[in-house]
């Protein structure tokens, strides 16, 4: 089932405690999160793309952007132990990315593309160094709740998961010299070339 048409209903019933929509993004105070319940469409995806905007008002090591499951079923992106690091958890694998674009009190847009055992990370549309992985990075099968913002302080916006690796040769701008524009474009609609592969889209508008 596609999740696009249930975003507002999910937000209405799942915003907990002090999570709130603020300036067209969801604000978290570190004691709240959003529960989107189980999303079985994510199970066992071996090719996918995860995208989101984040603004940590305070860098809290281990704070989740999103999280589902634990142990070998873990699927998560969280803030790293030091400012400027992001950790992508997939099962027992912990993949760390570093960039000066990951900082407190700064907006940044992240895109993770996974193609079997290859992971590529982009920050604000620019590729950053990605480690070599020896095993598959398929999303573990899980019936756990999908949560956004656990212990996170700040704002999160435009959260998306696609069941494909986005084609970076496609551009959503009249200026094709703007490399990576498709990765951090802020308005997704049915005219996007990969729209049919959009499994999860939380606009937080």
């Amino acid at each position: 089932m596609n999740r696009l048409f249930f975003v507002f209903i999910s937000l209405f019933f799942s915003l907990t405690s002090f999570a709130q929509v603020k300036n067209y993004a969801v604000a978290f105070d570190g004691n709240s999160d959003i529960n989107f319940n189980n999303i079985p469409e994510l199970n066992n995806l071996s090719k996918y793309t995860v995208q989101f905007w984040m603004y940590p008002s305070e860098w809290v090591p281990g704070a989740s952007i999103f999280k589902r499951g634990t142990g070998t079923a873990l699927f998560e992106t969280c803030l790293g132990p030091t400012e400027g690091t992001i950790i992508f958890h997939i099962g027992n694998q912990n993949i760390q990315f570093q960039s000066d674009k990951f900082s407190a009190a700064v907006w940044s847009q992240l895109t993770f593309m996974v193609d079997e055992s290859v992971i590529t990370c982009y920050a604000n549309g620019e590729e950053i160094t990605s480690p070599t992985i020896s095993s598959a990075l398929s999303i573990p099968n899980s019936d756990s709740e999908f949560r956004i913002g656990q212990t996170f302080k700040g704002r999160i916006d435009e959260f998306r998961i696609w069941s494909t690796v986005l084609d970076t040769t496609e551009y959503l701008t009249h200026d094709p010299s703007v490399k990576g524009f498709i990765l951090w474009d802020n308005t997704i609609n049915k005219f996007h070339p990969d729209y049919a592969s959009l499994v999860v889209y939380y606009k937080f508008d």
Side-chain angles (χ1 to χ4, degrees):
M1 181 192 302
N2 191 288
R3 299 272 162 177
L4 300 182
F5 301 105
F6 298 96
V7 171
F8 298 108
I9 293 175
S10 297
L11 278 174
F12 181 80
F13 288 106
S14 302
L15 283 169
T16 63
S17 191
F18 297 101
Q20 59 181 310
V21 177
K22 181 179 181 181
N23 295 331
Y24 302 107
V26 174
F28 298 88
D29 66 354
N31 298 306
S32 56
D33 66 352
I34 303 175
N35 178 5
F36 287 102
N37 299 314
N38 182 27
I39 306 179
E41 294 84 359
L42 300 178
N43 289 342
N44 301 314
L45 285 180
S46 60
K47 295 186 178 184
Y48 55 94
T49 300
V50 180
Q51 296 184 294
F52 54 85
W53 285 84
M54 69 171 189
Y55 180 97
S57 57
E58 178 183 334
W59 196 272
V60 180
S64 292
I65 305 299
F66 70 88
K67 182 177 183 180
R68 186 180 82 158
T70 59
T72 58
L74 182 61
F75 177 48
E76 177 188 36
T77 294
C78 67
L79 302 185
T82 58
E83 193 166 341
T85 62
I86 294 291
I87 299 178
F88 185 81
H89 295 285
I90 187 79
N92 290 326
Q93 300 191 68
N94 303 323
I95 307 166
Q96 183 170 294
F97 299 91
Q98 294 183 320
S99 173
D100 57 7
K101 296 179 174 63
F102 309 150
S103 181
V106 173
W107 275 108
S108 57
Q109 195 274 352
L110 278 76
T111 294
F112 295 99
M113 292 186 182
V114 173
D115 188 349
E116 304 290 347
S117 61
V118 177
I119 184 168
T120 308
C121 181
Y122 295 82
N124 297 351
E126 297 180 6
E127 185 175 353
I128 63 176
T129 302
S130 300
T132 300
I133 307 299
S134 59
S135 56
L137 295 171
S138 300
I139 298 176
N141 184 39
S142 175
D143 59 2
S144 297
E145 299 164 338
F146 188 93
R147 292 181 173 271
I148 291 178
Q150 285 186 320
T151 71
F152 184 83
K153 293 183 179 181
R155 286 175 281 172
I156 298 173
D157 198 13
E158 286 288 320
F159 186 92
R160 312 166 191 151
I161 301 180
W162 313 72
S163 60
T164 188
V165 175
L166 295 183
D167 184 356
T168 57
T169 64
E170 298 277 1
Y171 296 93
L172 299 181
T173 174
H174 295 299
D175 182 3
S177 67
V178 182
K179 181 175 176 60
F181 184 87
I182 194 172
L183 299 181
W184 62 323
D185 178 42
N186 219 18
T187 53
I188 298 299
N189 55 41
K190 64 181 179 181
F191 300 107
H192 189 287
D194 292 301
Y195 188 78
S197 299
L198 192 55
V199 178
V200 172
Y201 185 23
Y202 303 134
K203 297 179 66 175
F204 300 132
D205 284 348

